[in-house]
């Protein structure tokens, strides 16, 4: 609404091709325009013809085909280490307004990752790292409760339209392979999965029946489809399980509980851990990014920052360095439920133990008492942990702990996390972040209502709320609103003050300061007493 | 829903009477119960007969009548300084689970206030201070847009039902006196106002026509009705107005802009400032608490922590000490719009300049880009500033910047701020705060769904969301939910693990650790290598 899709054309000297970097352009009534980072893909491009069955055009296909392995690897990490700036890096640099060499160097040291499976050429390159815009992920996926393939594809498109930077398909129900295939072929953003879910389906939902072979085959199946990053709970070790026994909420990660059950049933160390290097080799072949899962994350305020959580984090640190040795990109998943005063410690420890691998957290929720509002209890924690250096925030919807998110919940979750991520960008002092706030506030102050709506994260809702009380068209240009009415509009009064001064041929400041001279002198004469004798 | 009103009877040795301290008791299915702080007044007491026309019973009448002035003052501050523990202080101590002497000492040094006008005997004593539970305020009030007296009273009752600790009546429209009268006679919580609004109505909305006399008479009129605290923008000095001229959003406080307009029109110092001591004498006579308004608060991220804002704050500091010299209680209003990294500075300066007078902030919003979601952009700032030491948070509804809040918006605003305030209580380590989170998380882990709903800030919404996907009655006791389904329920698996262990006559920990011995020995033999050679 009120915006159009435009592309910035950026020449790529290496490939000789021209990169088309998408942006959402908001036209303003004062003749100017404001461009925003855009995740919505071709779906918001009027010139693009969309065929869900054919899928999106494989924009990255040529880059991938032209690629020569370095040291046997074709991962962004391998190229970055070798000093090569890939088209993906150049695309990202333009998208974030940064230098391509900076993008390369951040990827080379593992402080940022570019989730981009060779088999998902339809995706638009994006980066996850503390020195870039904070990203958000939206979870979708059907469950025991039925929901169709079309519905899930539609949810993915819907989530990216509102700003989801990546989408995780957590399907556990029927037609899981087909659902994922349709999502991948139509997704302009990286797709993440948790392979253990499908593996469990293959063994009739009995964790004890899981095996490395079943898991490995599932990973390869998903890798071939183009999954860009995979959550792997390889840090849930047999010896850590007892640490959760006295917790208030035990193990709340699905993957974590599945692996804990397997370890106990077989009394063996997790096959994800014992076969970790084989797993690295598979992910390396496709350039899939590890999202090392926090299977022992706290599920309540009471369990935050406990021994089980940090024991696993130390193991994730070891696994991070092994993956990097294999030129495989890594990010680390984080909690969960954490009170505000314990949030910073999570980031500090993660960066120390995991060599600054991008941190990817679920919230965290800062209190347990508000089921139905956990998008908010968690946005409070998400904004803060983002400010502390977390690179990507996994959204939480109002249905968390209660049910499955519908279309409206997905939108609410995405918008809530976009504003939390932006609040973090502002606090981190990201160069381009405040321009957006300034553009909207300027429109607000100048009563450019339509511009204010169009610049909002959710234009429809902003306008709908305004029209509820003042639907009339003139109200769109009125120099007041329903909140204070004409007589009480502070912004209007401020403007009257300025106008008064201008009409007298003086800038407001001069106008007032001139008159101030005597006044302040007078004030000084009174020995700057705090109050004056009654004058009038 | 799922809770009943109970009263803790606390004997008051001084007055000889017995104080009845209200609590909301949530009965749990495991036979225990959990008591919560309750702001809803007699309206949730099945034994109380409510007559909106007669008003609530004047519970404090006898205490007030029995009171002897100290040093000519009848304010809680005067008694606290004199070492007297008032029934209000004793009531509050029981309500917050603290020692009465501690309550007195906090009031005596001005670090906490008890807004309780002698003419509002219907109110239940409550306290605002950094060493107590963080409180929240809900704004109501009709505006140019018509809304009836009954509607506003109903909004007040509705807001307190969900947890509003105080309510501000910001009415600016018709029948402003009558509306306020009905609200006060029926309000169990302190009521705040901004007298300048009604004063402006009296001069046909022309700021230039305002005068000390009109304002003074309005303050006395409201004082007689029983208003407990009044927002006074006495810090908007003529010489500060120019500081706002180059701001992105100028002056956004209604009261601030009105006084700025008056100062410029007359080229005189604000009459609120020049007559401040007379004002102190009036407030002292009724024990009305000053809420020194931040008329120059920032209205956008761009204007946060600027010269105008902090210049006014210094003046509010001077005014705080004058009021205290008159035995008048004081709190300080704060912003507004502030990015996260600039929030702590606001609290630090306020405490330093205003002698730790309770800070009372509006949010702050941590970004400007999400109109329609400003209850969330501000809850992020509110939770953080509360953690930093802010004593009361003024709610923001989804309609902020766009329109007037309806009944649903008021509820959303209150619930959002209750969770933000509680997140702050947790982060501050308030002794009783985490018990609530633990009770709810325990219920969640034990699949006591109904208990989880009843312990939630908003039971109706929590249950409604759950029932959307699993309406069947059995689902209320099911050991899984619609999110993961039976096979994937991590909590169920965790419990199976524990049960398995118990059935084997061992505690989970022992059961596992026993078996761990060999395993860990084995692990040690391998020189603690990070991964093991493929075993299976």
């Amino acid at each position: 609404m009120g915006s159009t899709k435009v592309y910035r054309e950026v020449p790529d000297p290496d490939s000789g091709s021209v990169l088309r970097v998408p942006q959402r352009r908001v036209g303003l009534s004062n003749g100017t325009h404001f461009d925003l980072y855009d995740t919505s893909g071709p779906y918001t491009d009027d010139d693009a013809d969309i065929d869900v069955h054919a899928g999106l055009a494989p924009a990255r296909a040529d880059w991938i085909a032209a690629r020569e392995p370095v040291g046997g690897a074709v991962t962004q990490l391998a190229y970055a280490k070798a000093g090569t700036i890939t088209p993906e890096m150049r695309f990202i640099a333009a998208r974030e307004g940064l230098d391509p060499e900076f993008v390369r160097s951040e990827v080379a040291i593992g402080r940022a990752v570019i989730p981009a499976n060779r088999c998902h050429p339809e995706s638009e390159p994006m980066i996850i790292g503390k020195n870039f815009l904070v990203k958000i992920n939206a979870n979708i996926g059907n469950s025991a409760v039925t929901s169709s393939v079309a519905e899930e594809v539609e949810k993915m498109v819907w989530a990216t339209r509102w700003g989801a930077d990546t989408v995780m398909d957590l399907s556990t129900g029927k037609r899981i392979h087909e659902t994922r295939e349709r999502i991948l072929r139509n997704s302009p953003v990286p797709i993440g999965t948790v392979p253990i879910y499908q593996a469990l389906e293959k063994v009739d939902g009995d964790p004890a029946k899981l095996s490395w072979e079943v898991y490995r085959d599932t990973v390869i199946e998903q890798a071939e489809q183009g999954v860009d990053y995979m959550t792997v709970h390889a840090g849930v070790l047999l010896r850590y399980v007892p640490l959760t026994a006295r917790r208030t909420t035990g193990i709340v990660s699905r993957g974590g509980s599945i692996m804990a059950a397997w370890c106990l049933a077989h009394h063996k160390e997790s096959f994800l851990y014992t076969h970790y290097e084989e797993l690295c080799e598979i992910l390396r072949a496709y350039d899939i990014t590890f999202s090392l899962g926090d299977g022992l994350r706290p599920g309540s305020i009471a369990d935050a920052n406990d021994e089980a959580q940090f024991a696993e984090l130390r193991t994730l640190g070891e696994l991070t360095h092994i993956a990097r040795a294999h030129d495989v990109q890594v990010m680390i998943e984080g909690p969960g439920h954490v009170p505000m005063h314990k949030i910073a410690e999570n980031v500090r420890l993660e960066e120390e133990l995991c060599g600054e691998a991008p941190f990817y957290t679920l919230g965290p929720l800062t209190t347990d008492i508000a089921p139905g509002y956990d998008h908010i209890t968690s946005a409070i924690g998400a904004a803060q942990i983002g400010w502390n250096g977390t690179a990507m925030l996994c959204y939480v919807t109002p249905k968390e702990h209660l049910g499955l998110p519908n279309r409206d919940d997905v939108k609410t979750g995405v918008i809530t996390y976009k504003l939390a991520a932006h609040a973090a960008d502002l606090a981190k002092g990201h160069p381009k972040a405040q321009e957006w706030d300034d553009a909207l506030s300027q429109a607000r102050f100048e009563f450019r209502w339509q511009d204010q709506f169009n610049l909002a994260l959710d234009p429809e809702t902003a306008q709908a709320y305004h029209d509820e009380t003042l639907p009339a068209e003139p109200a769109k240009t009125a120099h007041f609103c329903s909140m204070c009415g004409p007589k009480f509009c502070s912004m209007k009064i401020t403007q009257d003050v300025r106008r008064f001064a201008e009409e007298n041929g003086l800038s407001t400041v001069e106008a007032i300061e001139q008159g101030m001279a005597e006044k302040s002198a007078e004030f000084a004469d009174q020995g700057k007493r705090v109050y004056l004798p009654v004058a009038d």
Side-chain angles (χ1 to χ4, degrees), chain A residues 136-140 152 155-157 159-160 164-169 183 187 189-193 229 360:
Chain A
I136 73 158
N137 170 72
N139 292 334
I140 61 172
E152 294 311 309
K155 262 190 214 162
M156 175 275 291
V157 173
T160 57
D165 295 285
T166 76
V167 167
M168 288 194 80
D169 172 19
I183 290 173
S187 176
V189 303
I191 297 297
T193 61
Y229 66 89
Y360 168 28

Side-chain angles (χ1 to χ4, degrees), chain A residues 293-345:
Chain A
D294 55 336
L296 302 183
R297 68 170 174 267
S300 57
I301 293 298
D303 297 340
N305 294 21
D306 74 352
E307 196 185 349
Q309 182 193 339
F310 288 151
E312 178 186 34
L313 185 58
R314 276 188 293 278
T315 298
L316 296 186
E318 298 169 5
L319 298 173
T320 298
H321 298 298
I322 293 172
R324 286 178 177 173
H326 286 260
D327 287 338
V328 178
Q329 305 186 89
V330 182
M331 55 185 172
I332 305 294
E333 295 184 10
H337 291 241
V338 185
M340 285 189 287
H341 63 298
K342 292 186 177 179
I343 285 178
E345 174 70 356

Side-chain angles (χ1 to χ4, degrees), chain A residues 375-442:
Chain A
H375 57 306
I376 304 177
T377 62
S378 66
I380 290 169
Q384 196 179 319
I385 206 165
W387 173 24
N388 291 159
T390 293
M392 184 156 77
L393 308 169
C394 181
Y395 87 168
V396 171
T397 77
K399 292 285 171 62
E400 185 73 15
H401 297 119
L402 298 169
L404 287 171
N406 59 27
R407 183 185 161 93
D408 289 343
D409 299 319
V410 167
K411 176 182 172 181
T412 300
V414 170
I415 298 285
T416 300
Y417 270 64
K418 288 302 277 189
L419 69 85
H422 185 74
D425 288 332
L426 281 174
K428 289 199 301 180
H430 187 288
K432 293 184 65 178
Q434 199 184 315
E435 292 173 12
W436 190 356
D437 299 74
D438 294 349
L440 191 143
S441 289
Q442 197 65 48

Side-chain angles (χ1 to χ4, degrees), chain A residues 481-492:
Chain A
C481 71
S482 60
M483 284 171 289
C484 310
K487 288 193 299 194
F488 283 88
C489 181
S490 59
M491 291 192 175
K492 182 172 185 309

